[in-house]
Amino acid sequence: MAKYEYSFYPGCSSERRASASNYMTSVESMCRHLDIRLNEIPDWNCCSASIGYCEGGELPRHVMNARNIALSEQHNADQDIVATCAACWLGTKESQERLNSDRALMADALEVLKEGGLDLHFKNKVEVRHMVEALIEDIGYQELARPVVKPLAGVKVAGYVGCQTNRPFGIDGESFENPMYLDKMVEMAGAEPITDYEQKVTCCGGALAFSEPEKSQAQIKDILEAAADQGADMVVTPCPVCQMNVEVYQEQINRRYGTRFNMPVTYYSQLLTVAYGSSVSDAGLDGQIIRARKLEDIASS
Amino acid sequence: MKDINTAALSNYRNDFLREVEDNVEEGRWVKMCMQCGVCSGSCPFGSHWQHSPQELFMMIRAGQREAVLATESMFMCTSCYNCVVRCPRELPITHIMHGLANYAHRLGLAPQTNPTRRFARMFWTNIVRGGRVNELKLSLGLYFMDGFISGLRQAWAMRKVGIGLLRTGRLNLFGLVGQKGCRGAGELQRMLAKARLLEDQRKGLGD
């Protein structure tokens, strides 16, 4: 029996050979160290993300999330649902909240779930949480620091929280304008957080990085610039969309703005995994397009 | 198919506020806006909106139906939720913007060429087909949405990002011929068709 057990919703970007597969690798390693067991929701589907609204409307969008909740209750009864992706967490939690507060919408959703034989399993009572919530609230900062064997000494980190892990739900007890949890996690790993990183909660453009690249890259440039100005060795984030957007467009941004960014963008789980003594590949660091050399050096030391 | 826009017009006559309250996600909140403008000042893409959320709320109340439903503004929403957490009246502004965009799109009034509208449609088709995102098909679909030649140009411009993702094991080339996706995709498609039907009935968007 593991010490902590959750019903796990990995989400599309965490699949093998998908854009956040390295996040998944590091989460698995981190969970092994912390004795967390993740029971994947069998046959989960996409949450419809933040861009699903245009064609998907309301009910279809909520139904996608209701199906996941129903499957979770059927297979992982009574376990909280934990998501590693900010959009998955937000979408699922939002649908649950909306269905619970709107009787007509709930009646429609139940009728639709019947089509998939899932109505009996939809009690909609479990909590939907982000992985960082589980880490902070169930395990706590002190316990997170306990397995550290290689403190990330001398690594200066800009904690980029972004939007959807922070708003509208956020992490309990944190402010929307200046949440501190990521900085605390960086500190637990033995690295040095830049606590007054002013682009901490700036939007990276989200899905609009695809459809409105110029407008989004102006955002991303600010996010990188503030980190670079403060002497950050890397940016760290809890969100796969933030990670992708801030990492992969740096070359285009350099060309557009005449900058010379070459800033690694990692996940909190990679920091912890390296601090817990795992290898470069167990931390998913071989999945960085811009390699996080300082972390790699510590991991292979 | 009967013209749903004409039907909505004759149903609501000049009462656009009521039309929004009935048919737009969270539309019943619109009349609560007190015009403070915090939403407009909080939006990361603020300068790109033809009409800010604050303006849109007033335009809805003033019955400027055509101007509201034909603007690209709502498609500038990045879903960052900054306006939502800052609104002193706690309006779910992000959702109202999504709802307006969806309603305008369903009525056929949303700007046809807006890239986010087109990308969002592609995204929905993509996830409904397999139950999960097929990232390769989604990106290629976006690059090639204006035809083959401009697609090649786009793909060329993005080649280093693609190669980077491929090299680091973050892109599935097999996605092009088929990706495993969700076993229950068929069942999910049936559920979504039914959900769309129910929603259309409720919002007068059906045939």
Side-chain angles (χ1 to χ4, degrees), chain A residues 12-13 15 17-19 21 43-46 48-61 64 67 90 94 98 108 111-113 115 163-164 167-168 176-177 203 205 208 210-212 215-216 219 243 247-249 251-252 286-289, chain B residues 25-26 44-45 48 75-82 85-86 95 98 101-102 105 115-117 119-121 123-124 127 131-133 135 142 157-158 160-161 164-165 168-172 179 182-184 187-188 191-192 194-196 198-199 202-203:
Chain A
C12 304
S13 66
E15 287 203 279
R17 298 211 164 271
S19 56
S21 52
D43 208 39
W44 53 267
N45 54 262
C46 173
S48 89
S50 49
I51 198 77
Y53 68 83
C54 181
E55 189 67 43
E58 277 186 271
L59 185 61
R61 226 173 67 229
M64 292 195 93
R67 178 177 178 273
L90 173 65
E94 201 162 77
R98 197 77 69 78
D108 284 352
E111 197 180 328
V112 173
L113 284 174
E115 293 279 310
C163 301
Q164 297 195 345
R167 298 181 297 260
F176 295 125
E177 308 290 340
C203 178
L208 274 70
F210 284 100
S211 54
E212 299 276 9
K215 298 180 180 80
S216 301
Q219 295 290 117
Q243 195 285 333
E247 184 188 34
V248 308
Y249 300 116
E251 206 194 88
Q252 297 191 3
D286 48 2
Q288 307 303 118
I289 292 177
Chain B
E25 179 166 359
E26 302 286 322
F45 276 21
H48 305 297
F75 293 97
M76 295 297 151
C77 174
T78 63
S79 309
C80 80
Y81 292 81
N82 223 355
V85 299
R86 287 184 181 169
H95 298 295
H98 291 177
N102 171 258
H105 165 63
T116 300
R117 188 192 73 87
F119 178 62
R121 290 191 69 195
F123 181 82
W124 186 258
I127 59 175
R132 294 180 189 175
V133 179
E135 292 178 340
L142 179 75
M158 295 299 291
K160 285 192 177 162
V161 173
L165 289 170
T168 51
R170 289 162 62 184
L171 187 66
N172 186 1
Q179 186 175 304
C182 183
R183 267 178 290 117
E187 166 197 291
L188 180 67
M191 288 163 66
L192 292 175
K194 168 110 182 184
R196 171 99 169 216
L198 287 176
E199 179 151 302
R202 223 176 254 287
K203 295 185 176 177

Side-chain angles (χ1 to χ4, degrees), chain A residues 129-144:
Chain A
R129 307 167 73 193
H130 191 277
M131 175 60 84
V132 294
E133 281 186 298
L135 295 181
I136 296 166
E137 291 165 7
D138 297 357
I139 300 177
Y141 295 111
Q142 298 314 316
E143 288 300 308
L144 283 178

